[in-house]
């Protein structure tokens, strides 16, 4: 397969539209149930949700960097990293994003932002120190693919509503334990807190499955994007294997400090578990390597 010009992944775009539609429908039902159960006006709750979503949309890159403890760095502070990002952006026909570094020994990277013009890519000091330059380029191309595909925005918005459902689940449980749990409308129907708890739990569970399904596919799409941008999928393959193997050498304390960014990292910063793939936010490493190997063979590139 000849090297092709990089473009947005149509399969991912269709899946994002489908997932967004299903999530939107799910939360319309969620809102209708809550409004009827809590007997509150639509306008106040709608305004609150829209304001929070608006703030999150326009500050998603800053919030993600702050949550990760990452620092935006200038060319003077990290000339080599800036050179790599600029070169890859030119190859992918993307505007240059902000460049950030996260001070942690955990080898990883992530991208954030609402659009290619308002994005940031971040690498950890552990990644910069442990990987070869070509491997780092493969990782950066993967993150730039996320930016180009705009899947970071979908993940951010979807995660917000899942978080809202989780908070309401916790509120319903707390209210049931400490709020008395009176019956609805003083009749024999189920108490308000129990309805809130059940509905929120169902919405949260469905949201997580939908979000993690699109999350797994977006990793495949970004891996493919990296291969097309660099023309050398073997470097990303090597990087993924090295990151995964090095992760086992990182102290648990350091891993726990960055686990909050797992959904955005190129490889989750946690020990392998027996979790079913349906509930994983990343595809198994073996499947990612197999997919990249197939791309490499089509490109006529060496496969280890």
């Amino acid at each position: 397969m000849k090297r092709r010009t990089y473009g947005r992944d149509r399969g991912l775009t269709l899946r994002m539209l489908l997932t967004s539609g299903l999530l939107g429908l799910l939360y319309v039902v969620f809102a209708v149930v809550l409004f009827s159960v809590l007997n509150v006006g639509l306008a106040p709750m709608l305004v609150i949700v829209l304001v929070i979503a608006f703030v999150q949309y326009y500050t998603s890159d800053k919030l993600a960097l702050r949550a990760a403890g990452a620092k935006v760095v200038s060319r003077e502070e990290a000339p080599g990293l800036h050179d790599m990002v600029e070169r890859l952006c030119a190859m992918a026909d993307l505007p240059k994003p902000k460049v950030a570094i996260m001070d942690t020994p955990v080898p990883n990277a992530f991208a954030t932002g609402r659009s290619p013009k308002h994005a940031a890519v971040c690498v950890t000091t552990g990644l910069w120190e442990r990987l070869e330059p070509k491997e780092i380029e493969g990782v950066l191309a993967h993150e730039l693919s996320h930016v180009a595909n705009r899947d970071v925005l979908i993940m951010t918005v979807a995660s917000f509503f899942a978080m809202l459902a989780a908070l309401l689940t916790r509120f319903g449980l707390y209210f049931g334990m400490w709020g008395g749990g009176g019956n609805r409308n003083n009749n024999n129907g189920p108490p308000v807190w129990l309805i809130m708890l059940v509905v929120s739990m169902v919405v949260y569970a469905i949201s997580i499955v939908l979000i993690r399904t699109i999350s797994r596919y977006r990793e495949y799409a970004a891996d493919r994007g990296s291969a097309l941008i660099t023309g050398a999928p073997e470097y990303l393959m090597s990087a993924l294997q090295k990151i995964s193997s090095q992760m086992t050498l990182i102290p648990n304390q350091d891993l726990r400090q960055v686990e909050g960014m797992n959904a955005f990292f190129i490889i989750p910063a946690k020990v392998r578990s027996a979790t079913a793939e349906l509930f994983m936010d990343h595809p198994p490493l073996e499947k990612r390597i197999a997919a990249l190997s197939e791309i490499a063979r089509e490109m006529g590139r060496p496969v280890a």
Side-chain angles (χ1 to χ4, degrees), residues 73-281:
V73 292
S74 65
R75 169 174 288 282
E76 290 71 24
E77 293 174 293
L81 181 56
H82 273 266
D83 286 343
M84 282 188 185
V85 173
E86 286 180 359
R87 182 165 58 253
L88 291 168
C89 285
M91 295 166 69
D93 193 24
L94 285 172
K96 182 184 176 183
K98 296 176 184 175
V99 178
I101 293 179
M102 183 177 174
D103 187 14
T104 173
V106 178
N108 235 307
F110 68 91
T112 183
R114 66 181 186 271
S115 70
K117 292 183 178 180
H118 303 87
V121 292
C122 176
V123 300
T124 66
T125 51
L127 182 95
W128 187 257
E129 294 166 357
R130 294 169 188 260
L131 268 60
E132 298 297 326
K134 288 294 185 181
E135 294 170 335
I136 297 175
E137 284 193 358
V139 170
L140 287 172
H142 171 102
E143 300 306 333
L144 288 172
S145 297
H146 282 312
V147 173
N149 289 329
R150 299 174 186 264
D151 57 59
V152 176
L153 173 61
I154 296 297
M155 289 293 295
T156 300
V157 174
S159 297
F160 162 70
F161 286 110
M163 180 183 67
L164 180 63
L167 288 175
L168 287 173
T169 299
R170 186 173 299 178
F171 174 77
L173 185 59
Y174 176 84
F175 187 78
M177 293 176 63
W178 306 106
N183 285 343
R184 184 182 179 189
N185 298 327
N186 295 318
N187 57 28
N188 294 324
V192 171
W193 71 266
L194 181 59
I195 298 175
M196 283 181 58
L197 178 63
V198 172
V199 172
S200 298
M201 287 177 65
V202 170
V203 169
Y204 178 73
I206 296 175
S207 298
I208 289 299
V209 171
L210 289 174
I211 290 170
R212 292 188 174 178
T213 298
I214 192 68
S215 179
R216 291 191 297 275
Y217 187 87
R218 83 186 189 109
E219 294 302 327
Y220 285 125
D223 287 348
R224 176 179 176 276
S226 174
L228 294 178
I229 291 172
T230 63
E234 65 270 19
Y235 293 129
L236 179 60
M237 292 167 61
S238 175
L240 293 176
Q241 291 170 324
K242 190 175 291 187
I243 292 171
S244 180
S245 63
Q246 290 290 312
M247 205 76 73
T248 60
L249 305 178
I250 305 298
N252 288 333
Q253 180 180 354
D254 292 320
L255 293 175
R256 284 194 293 268
Q257 287 178 350
V258 300
E259 275 190 339
M261 298 300 296
N262 275 344
F264 294 93
F265 278 156
I266 189 169
I267 286 184
K270 57 186 177 184
V271 179
R272 183 188 299 271
S273 66
T275 305
E277 187 173 345
L278 179 66
F279 299 101
M280 295 170 61
D281 46 28

